[in-house]
Amino acid sequence: MDLGGRYYNTKPQIEVLENLLRKLPDPTKPAVPPIERPKPRRARQLDADQVQELIAGYQAGATVYELGDRFGIERRPVSNILKRHDVPMHRRGLSPEQVDDAIHLYSLGWTLARVGEHLGVDHTTAKLRERGIPTRDTHG
């Protein structure tokens, strides 16, 4: 009967621990000062006039992407501002003719991102799948 099992010979474990100890910093030397990193900035806040201008722009037909570019903020804060002010969101889906164009361009080898950019929408995957068009592997 072996009482020690694989732990009876502790030499391999001691060697591993000694290797780890050699990798640790020398406790007699002063610690390395932490790296100075810039503090995260607070998101840009729009004033009341800018919010009203943003709402008017959206109601005039501008997209949340265009408004984000205009005001220097991301798309999500634009959407949040519109929701907070109870502005009805309009979905800019593709018309049947645009879906036909998207299918044609995609079949020519265009990427979904390029097709979406050409048609002024985020992506067209769902509409292609609704029409039974298989999509290519995006990772090659």
Side-chain angles (χ1 to χ4, degrees), residues 24-100:
L24 290 173
D26 185 357
T28 61
K29 292 185 180 177
V32 178
I35 298 171
E36 289 285 330
R37 291 192 173 100
K39 292 184 179 180
R41 297 183 304 159
R42 185 170 176 192
R44 183 165 183 264
Q45 300 293 314
L46 301 182
D47 63 32
D49 291 336
Q50 290 173 317
V51 169
Q52 291 307 313
E53 187 180 338
L54 183 143
I55 292 169
Y58 186 76
Q59 290 172 334
T63 66
V64 291
Y65 294 97
E66 293 166 345
L67 292 168
D69 289 342
R70 186 186 315 169
F71 290 96
I73 58 177
E74 295 290 322
R75 169 194 64 81
R76 282 197 174 132
V78 171
S79 296
N80 291 340
I81 290 168
L82 295 171
K83 287 176 188 171
R84 201 168 36 241
H85 288 86
D86 297 322
V87 176
M89 302 295 288
H90 45 76
R91 300 274 182 215
R92 290 191 51 196
L94 296 176
S95 69
E97 295 79 22
Q98 289 175 312
V99 175
D100 292 338

Side-chain angles (χ1 to χ4, degrees), residues 84-124:
R84 201 168 36 241
H85 288 86
D86 297 322
V87 176
M89 302 295 288
H90 45 76
R91 300 274 182 215
R92 290 191 51 196
L94 296 176
S95 69
E97 295 79 22
Q98 289 175 312
V99 175
D100 292 338
D101 290 342
I103 292 170
H104 175 71
L105 295 172
Y106 188 68
S107 68
L108 291 175
W110 285 35
T111 64
L112 288 173
R114 184 175 175 201
V115 172
E117 185 178 329
H118 177 73
L119 295 172
V121 294
D122 192 24
H123 56 78
T124 58

Side-chain angles (χ1 to χ4, degrees), residues 4-18:
R6 63 182 186 175
Y7 300 110
Y8 188 71
N9 182 2
T10 58
K11 187 174 180 180
Q13 287 89 4
I14 291 172
E15 288 175 356
V16 170
L17 288 172
E18 287 173 343

